[in-house]
Amino acid sequence: MISDGGSAILFRLRMTIIILIGLLALLVGRIFELQIIQGAEHRKNSEKYYIVPAEIKAPRGDIVDCNGSLIAGSRQAFSICGIPRSLLHRRDEIDVLSRILGVEEDFIRNRLKLSSCSYRPTVIVRDVDFGTVSMVEEMFNLLPDVLVVAEPIRFYPLARLASHVVGYVGEVTQEDIAKGKGYDVGDLIGKTGIEKEYENYLKGQDGLRYLMFNPSGGSGPVEYEREDSRPPRKGRKIELTIDMELQKYASELLEDRCGAVIAISTESGNIILVASSPGFDPNRFATGISSSDWQEIVEDHDNPLLNRAIQSTYPPGSIFKIVTAGIGLEEGVVTEGSRFKPCSGSYRFGNRTFACWKRQGHGSLDLVGAIAVSCDVYFYQLGEHLALELFDRYAERWKINTKTGIDLPGELSGFVPKPSDYDRLYGKGQWTRGVQLNLAIGQGELLLTPIEICCFIAAIANGGYYYKPHCLERIQGLGDWVVKKPERIDLPISSSTIDVLRKAMLQVVERPHGTGSAARIAGIKVAGKTGTAQNPHGKDHASFVCFAPYDDPLIVLYVIVENSGHGGEIAAPIAGKILRRILERHYGLTLACQDKGK
Amino acid sequence: MRKTEQTILIIMIILCGLGVLSIYSSTRDSAGYGYAIRQVIWIALGFALMLLVRKIHIRTLMAFALPFYGITVVLLGLVLVVGTGPFATKRWFDLGFMRFQPSEVAKIGLVMMLARYLSDIRGFSLGTILKVFAMALIPAVLVLFEPDLGTAVVLGIIAFPMLFAAGLDWIHVIFLASPFIALACSSRLAAWIVFAGLLVILLIFGRFRVWLVSLVLAINVGVYAIAPFAWENLAQYQRDRLIAFVRPDKDVLGAGFQTTQSMIAIGSGGIAGKGLFKGTQKALGLIPEQHTDFIFSVIGEEMGFVGSLGVILLLGFLLTKFLRLASELRDKFSIFFCFGFTTLLIVQMFINIGMTLRIMPVTGLPLPLLSYGGSHMLMLWLACGIIFAAYRTRLEY
């Protein structure tokens, strides 16, 4: 086809080859210049400085209480970091650093080797004092691969007061990293409480910067701006429903005894107060807890890490009589005015004698009266008339032994035994119907968490429903606050039953010989129920649950003090004091002075 | 398969292999085998594509030139609407398993289209030259909007060697290219005066018509005059890169840093290099996009002068092989395509390696066969398939 232009094309192709050779020669010449002529100089330069990417840790979002007082914040701390790749090869540098920091050389090496990325700054020691910082910075000539990094550290100004609700942060585990949510070795993550529950909101977004190092000394690392450098973004602020003033008051009243106090708003499920004693200082975890500190906390017999309000199950004691009475009413076994054989201080069932807590006996009582004075004999007889299966069936229906779904991790659920459970525990046919007598007064194998009791009593107070309990008031959104609507839970329980139970609970506090009279507040009708749970290890657990005001309930309150005695003597007075404080602080009720009331 | 084809394939595969090693070396700390494995997959897919295309008759492929060009233009338009890319650019379609970069395919589309058009014309008129530039400018301008200055320039430049191959008087090629050279020189007055002087001498002693002389001079002066305004319209990073090219020592930590680091990395390789996977500059995150644009700095640092020279000789040998293959072809389309594609590779290779050596400005152009990239790999092997198809059927003409 190309006859005329064939030779012309060939000529042009040859010219192109010549141009190509010329260009290649140019490149080779330049490479020769760089690598052979200037090679030594460039090699020296290549050792002169290097640049590494370094994360800037985002401060976690603040956690505040319902009044806006800070529960968890961040403070700036200084950490000493090293670049594993270069520092691991510098024995002299590690030697100097170990003397300044006062740690073993091997400790430094191990920290560096743990890092997942050999050229990113790795934290060797967190939160050092200012003297150490200035020493490291002054000796930059001897420490070219070390840098001081400002890091936000979690700070809990109220220390142990809200330890269980807020929880604590700690270094991520391998499992957290494997989940692929962007965590790396040494990152901090919420381990318990609100810190864990709302981790995604609280954690924020780390920033990125680049640092230029000068291994030959002469200057410390210098910031190097790159297109993808970005500042960190602080985590979102979280406001809780908790009132720290009340929290403080409750822990003062509990003194050093083990126990728990919960107060929930019946109108919204807002948890105003949730104290668990003893507490711990979450600040000890903030920089990574030392193993000796950890041992000390774990080996403590009082188990301070346990949030007793949601993670402890207790025998409910006489508080459970409300449930037993409810079952009796719903099943039509008793009515408000039903009477059994009078209480003589004990009850004979089969060949066993079941004692009432009042040795001299209560005499003849109707249902309301039996609840008011917490007569055991009345409830032994009621329990005898109920089928054993009913306890579990109603517990399930009324969600008494179901996790409440509170927004705190690690909640346990209670245990209301079924016949099959007794078979499992004692062997088939090895147990008698006596167990249901004990069950009826809230003793025996029965175990409930304080929060479960609170929710059921809230339903009684409200007339059949309660709101799912929660500690979260609102989360700071990108612009506005985000508020979650409370979730209402309705229980299948007839209003006539509720009326009787409410009336009985009022009598517990208001009647002259009511067991809960210590919780009385002048001017406000309080309804409640005492619980005294026998316990093989020492004194009884004293508990008290109540709601107020009787006619238009606002608050449900539960108090338990372990190994302290009778509910009416120990728990009820505490409940009265706290209840009074809550009504004054949160509902603007001006109440007469306690002394005048008496 | 002929010996010529076998030789070309062997060189291509050796270069690809060196590319995979260098990619692995530069990414293993951050991504392990990830990039290297993907690159191997792209090479394998590209190779299969080449074998497939090679079997198609060259006249069938020629008939595809216009639709193929049309599709690439549409894709370039589409990527401006739905595309993604780094730093708010719109350079690729995110397909999940790959980031498809239409500007890579547009390179082949344009070369095919130009080869197709130039094979049909007899003699040059102003109209044909304008048409050729229009064909080149449509994709080039679209790519400029992504924005990807480097690729846009390459797309624009490719028209010149193709006109040259098609028989346009070389002096006319210089005239046509002169405004662009004037633009490149406009930042330095001395360079522009030298260039303008040479052009004037050429024009005076060339005994051309007065209108042509005046037009060329007018255009050149015009370009020099409007260059500052064009400068105003460049994106900041483009300006930084150009400044960094002209004055690399001005700001070591600024835009010149990348090239300075690359230069130090290559220079520190010395004669024999620091050894495979033993580069110190690369692993520290010194040079961004090292596995794509700055792959040559890994080779320079780790394989030294011996390795760099080897890679350049292999590339030179391969490109010469392509040009020799073009001389064996009989029909104009095949010759123009083969020639156009080869010069495209020459330009890319020179700009890319030149950039790592700090004798060219920083652009996002890949180093043929060595840089990481799926679109780039498939494009190369596709073009190779077309050239083999032309070679296979050359005796039919």
Side-chain angles (χ1 to χ4, degrees):
Chain A
M1 246 173 109
I2 306 167
S3 47
D4 49 348
S7 61
I9 287 244
L10 275 181
F11 171 71
R12 278 162 196 242
L13 288 172
R14 280 202 197 113
M15 267 186 71
T16 312
I17 292 177
I18 290 166
I19 293 171
L20 169 64
I21 290 169
L23 291 175
L24 293 177
L26 199 63
L27 292 179
V28 172
R30 176 68 172 161
I31 294 170
F32 185 81
E33 185 192 0
L34 288 178
Q35 297 192 313
I36 311 291
I37 300 174
Q38 306 168 350
E41 189 192 330
H42 284 308
R43 184 161 283 230
K44 217 170 71 197
N45 272 340
S46 78
E47 283 151 14
K48 209 162 90 186
Y49 51 81
Y50 58 85
I51 290 200
V52 299
E55 277 177 341
I56 315 169
K57 293 285 170 216
R60 287 176 78 80
D62 291 340
I63 302 175
V64 296
D65 82 344
C66 66
N67 303 313
S69 19
L70 193 67
I71 306 174
S74 290
R75 70 183 161 86
Q76 200 72 286
F78 293 100
S79 300
I80 306 299
C81 302
I83 308 298
R85 194 187 173 90
S86 37
L87 188 53
L88 275 171
H89 301 295
R90 305 277 295 253
R91 198 174 284 170
D92 49 337
E93 216 176 318
I94 292 184
D95 176 46
V96 174
L97 192 61
S98 76
R99 282 174 209 202
I100 295 178
L101 299 178
V103 295
E104 296 281 317
E105 287 184 28
D106 279 340
F107 173 82
I108 297 177
R109 286 203 182 86
N110 287 337
R111 286 295 294 196
L112 294 173
K113 280 177 191 160
L114 266 177
S115 169
S116 64
C117 187
S118 66
Y119 54 82
R120 291 202 171 193
T122 300
V123 175
I124 298 166
V125 180
R126 269 217 166 84
D127 197 14
V128 295
D129 58 57
F130 194 71
T132 314
V133 171
S134 47
M135 258 214 280
V136 168
E137 289 199 326
E138 271 166 33
M139 293 174 94
F140 65 82
N141 255 322
L142 295 171
L143 302 168
D145 304 296
V146 174
L147 73 158
V148 178
V149 172
E151 271 190 314
I153 299 275
R154 204 48 156 166
F155 172 59
Y156 305 95
L158 303 171
R160 62 181 57 225
L161 267 188
S163 46
H164 296 107
V165 187
V166 178
Y168 58 88
V169 293
E171 288 198 2
V172 289
T173 60
Q174 286 299 325
E175 288 160 38
D176 295 324
I177 296 169
K179 278 181 199 155
K181 282 188 177 163
Y183 294 100
D184 200 358
V185 177
D187 283 351
L188 296 174
I189 190 171
K191 292 283 188 189
T192 62
I194 293 289
E195 293 275 26
K196 183 180 183 184
E197 186 79 19
Y198 295 108
E199 167 70 17
N200 288 344
Y201 298 100
L202 288 168
K203 73 176 171 192
Q205 197 186 50
D206 292 342
L208 185 66
R209 64 174 174 162
Y210 292 87
L211 293 170
M212 189 169 78
F213 283 78
N214 190 343
S216 56
S219 68
V222 184
E223 185 113 16
Y224 167 58
E225 196 65 35
R226 234 177 72 168
E227 283 151 313
D228 54 346
S229 302
R230 58 170 192 269
R233 247 196 4 237
K234 188 172 176 168
R236 300 218 214 154
K237 188 173 176 176
I238 281 186
E239 192 180 302
L240 301 183
T241 55
I242 312 279
D243 183 342
M244 289 312 294
E245 280 298 316
L246 292 170
Q247 195 84 13
K248 193 171 160 214
Y249 186 53
S251 61
E252 277 166 17
L253 292 175
L254 281 174
E255 293 159 6
D256 286 332
R257 294 170 292 188
C258 296
V261 180
I262 312 176
I264 306 178
S265 154
T266 55
E267 295 170 307
S268 60
N270 283 0
I271 296 178
I272 296 166
L273 157 61
V274 52
S276 174
S277 178
F280 59 92
D281 183 357
N283 289 311
R284 291 171 82 178
F285 294 85
T287 53
I289 190 164
S290 70
S291 53
S292 60
D293 280 6
W294 178 249
Q295 279 301 321
E296 188 194 318
I297 291 176
V298 170
E299 283 170 7
D300 189 329
H301 280 300
D302 290 337
N303 206 347
L305 289 180
L306 194 69
N307 185 353
R308 291 176 152 74
I310 62 166
Q311 293 173 321
S312 275
T313 54
Y314 295 102
S318 301
I319 290 176
F320 197 73
K321 286 173 184 161
I322 304 281
V323 179
T324 310
I327 298 171
L329 289 162
E330 291 283 282
E331 289 292 311
V333 175
V334 281
T335 60
E336 192 181 341
S338 296
R339 286 171 192 270
F340 292 107
K341 282 181 216 154
C343 169
S344 60
S346 65
Y347 181 67
R348 184 97 188 147
F349 179 75
N351 51 4
R352 266 185 75 187
T353 304
F354 289 80
C356 185
W357 66 271
K358 196 175 178 187
R359 301 269 169 246
Q360 54 272 54
H362 288 103
S364 178
L365 290 164
D366 62 2
L367 180 62
V368 173
I371 293 176
V373 297
S374 202
C375 175
D376 290 336
V377 168
Y378 187 95
F379 279 91
Y380 290 140
Q381 297 177 74
L382 175 53
E384 198 187 331
H385 284 86
L386 295 172
L388 181 56
E389 303 81 51
L390 288 175
F391 287 97
D392 172 61
R393 195 182 302 160
Y394 275 92
E396 204 144 288
R397 217 179 265 179
W398 293 341
K399 301 186 191 296
I400 291 169
N401 57 351
T402 321
K403 285 181 193 173
T404 62
I406 184 176
D407 54 350
L408 289 174
E411 186 189 2
L412 293 184
S413 58
F415 175 68
V416 178
K418 299 188 278 288
S420 59
D421 292 320
Y422 288 109
D423 285 343
R424 192 165 46 78
L425 284 168
Y426 302 110
K428 230 179 161 77
Q430 300 296 302
W431 51 279
T432 63
R433 283 187 65 221
V435 293
Q436 67 196 65
L437 272 64
N438 264 330
L439 207 52
I441 62 156
Q443 293 291 157
E445 290 73 15
L446 185 65
L447 289 168
L448 295 178
T449 65
I451 190 83
E452 285 169 340
I453 293 172
C454 272
C455 284
F456 179 69
I457 298 303
I460 301 292
N462 281 340
Y465 66 90
Y466 66 92
Y467 290 99
K468 194 158 136 185
H470 56 92
C471 301
L472 178 76
E473 175 69 43
R474 49 188 191 164
I475 298 176
Q476 195 173 36
L478 293 176
D480 259 325
W481 290 87
V482 179
V483 185
K484 218 179 136 195
K485 228 182 133 211
E487 193 181 321
R488 182 176 148 151
I489 292 157
D490 285 276
L491 299 182
I493 178 165
S494 68
S495 55
S496 57
T497 301
I498 286 174
D499 283 345
V500 177
L501 295 179
R502 280 173 58 94
K503 209 182 284 175
M505 283 178 73
L506 181 66
Q507 293 301 313
V508 171
V509 182
E510 299 297 320
R511 208 183 238 209
H513 297 289
T515 51
S517 52
R520 239 177 255 171
I521 301 173
I524 296 280
K525 281 198 212 164
V526 178
K529 182 73 195 82
T530 51
T532 305
Q534 282 160 19
N535 145 38
H537 320 283
K539 282 170 93 175
D540 297 342
H541 294 332
S543 61
F544 184 71
V545 67
C546 61
F547 66 85
Y550 175 75
D551 296 309
D552 187 13
L554 298 168
I555 292 290
V556 170
L557 179 71
Y558 174 89
V559 176
I560 182 161
V561 186
E562 291 179 17
N563 310 113
S564 61
H566 283 279
E569 285 163 23
I570 309 289
I574 294 176
K577 284 178 188 160
I578 295 173
L579 194 57
R580 185 187 169 83
R581 192 64 78 86
I582 294 175
L583 291 171
E584 282 174 344
R585 276 180 69 82
H586 285 257
Y587 300 96
L589 300 181
T590 40
L591 302 168
C593 190
Q594 228 163 359
D595 298 329
K596 269 189 200 166
K598 274 191 176 172
Chain B
M1 204 174 265
R2 298 274 168 164
K3 196 163 173 274
T4 309
E5 291 175 77
Q6 284 171 1
T7 316
I8 286 175
L9 285 180
I10 288 167
I11 302 170
M12 284 178 78
I13 286 167
I14 292 173
L15 284 168
C16 283
L18 285 169
V20 171
L21 280 179
S22 311
I23 289 163
Y24 173 63
S25 175
S26 66
T27 56
R28 62 179 189 155
D29 277 345
S30 55
Y33 286 105
Y35 282 105
I37 286 173
R38 267 177 277 167
Q39 180 80 341
V40 169
I41 293 170
W42 292 126
I43 293 168
L45 287 175
F47 194 84
L49 181 67
M50 180 275 296
L51 289 177
L52 197 76
V53 172
R54 181 178 169 275
K55 290 287 177 198
I56 304 171
H57 197 282
I58 191 66
R59 262 176 297 191
T60 317
L61 291 169
M62 186 175 162
F64 266 116
L66 182 60
F68 190 62
Y69 172 78
I71 289 168
T72 60
V73 168
V74 169
L75 287 177
L76 286 177
L78 200 61
V79 83
L80 292 179
V81 184
V82 297
T84 55
F87 312 124
T89 57
K90 292 178 170 181
R91 291 185 184 169
W92 55 58
F93 296 108
D94 204 335
L95 302 179
F97 63 97
M98 83 174 286
R99 290 160 168 174
F100 175 65
Q101 212 170 332
S103 61
E104 285 298 322
V105 191
K107 288 175 188 165
I108 305 245
L110 178 61
V111 173
M112 273 178 95
M113 188 62 214
L114 289 177
R116 170 88 173 79
Y117 178 70
L118 290 170
S119 66
D120 270 352
I121 58 152
R122 298 206 166 271
F124 286 96
S125 66
L126 194 62
T128 51
I129 291 173
L130 285 179
K131 275 186 194 166
V132 165
F133 277 104
M135 286 174 198
L137 280 178
I138 292 170
V141 167
L142 285 170
V143 169
L144 197 59
F145 276 117
E146 288 183 1
D148 184 350
L149 186 61
T151 309
V153 167
V154 167
L155 285 170
I157 281 177
I158 206 66
F160 294 107
M162 293 205 68
L163 281 169
F164 176 65
L168 185 63
D169 200 340
W170 62 273
I171 205 94
H172 289 117
V173 176
I174 290 176
F175 284 169
L176 285 171
S178 65
F180 298 96
I181 302 170
L183 187 65
C185 295
S186 63
S187 64
R188 276 187 179 173
L189 187 62
W192 188 78
I193 289 172
V194 171
F195 167 70
L198 285 173
L199 192 66
V200 167
I201 292 167
L202 193 68
L203 287 168
I204 291 169
F205 292 95
R207 284 188 286 176
F208 300 104
R209 291 191 193 114
V210 177
W211 70 266
L212 184 64
V213 173
S214 339
L215 183 69
V216 170
L217 280 176
I219 290 173
N220 275 285
V221 174
V223 164
Y224 183 70
I226 61 162
F229 297 102
W231 176 254
E232 289 299 315
N233 283 317
L234 285 179
Q236 188 56 47
Y237 80 96
Q238 292 169 329
R239 282 190 219 171
D240 289 347
R241 283 175 172 185
L242 287 170
I243 291 176
F245 171 57
V246 179
R247 299 285 307 278
D249 302 316
K250 204 173 122 195
D251 172 21
V252 180
L253 286 182
F257 184 80
Q258 219 174 344
T259 45
T260 307
Q261 278 310 314
S262 163
M263 192 184 77
I264 291 172
I266 293 171
S268 67
I271 295 175
K274 295 177 184 168
L276 205 55
F277 311 138
K278 285 181 186 155
T280 54
Q281 299 289 289
K282 50 131 186 133
L284 297 166
L286 272 176
I287 305 165
E289 289 108 36
Q290 198 176 19
H291 60 295
T292 57
D293 302 347
F294 279 86
I295 195 77
F296 192 78
S297 64
V298 186
I299 293 164
E301 189 186 5
E302 300 192 342
M303 304 184 203
F305 184 68
V306 178
S308 312
L309 188 66
V311 166
I312 287 184
L313 286 181
L314 279 172
L315 278 167
F317 188 51
L318 177 72
L319 295 166
T320 316
K321 265 286 175 208
F322 274 133
L323 288 174
R324 285 193 182 283
L325 188 150
S327 71
E328 285 182 52
L329 302 175
R330 306 284 173 84
D331 78 304
K332 284 185 177 178
F333 173 75
S334 305
I335 295 171
F336 294 163
F337 179 83
C338 187
F339 182 80
F341 174 69
T342 313
T343 48
L344 177 87
L345 294 190
I346 292 172
V347 169
Q348 268 191 211
M349 174 199 71
F350 186 74
I351 293 181
N352 180 286
I353 298 182
M355 150 184 106
T356 63
L357 302 173
R358 223 176 70 180
I359 56 173
M360 291 301 276
V362 177
T363 56
L365 291 174
L367 179 58
L369 295 165
L370 289 125
S371 282
Y372 173 80
S375 311
H376 150 244
M377 255 314 146
L378 293 179
M379 185 278 294
L380 277 175
W381 288 100
L382 170 66
C384 182
I386 297 173
I387 290 171
F388 285 176
Y391 186 70
R392 205 171 53 85
T393 50
R394 72 193 187 283
L395 297 174
E396 289 177 21
Y397 289 94

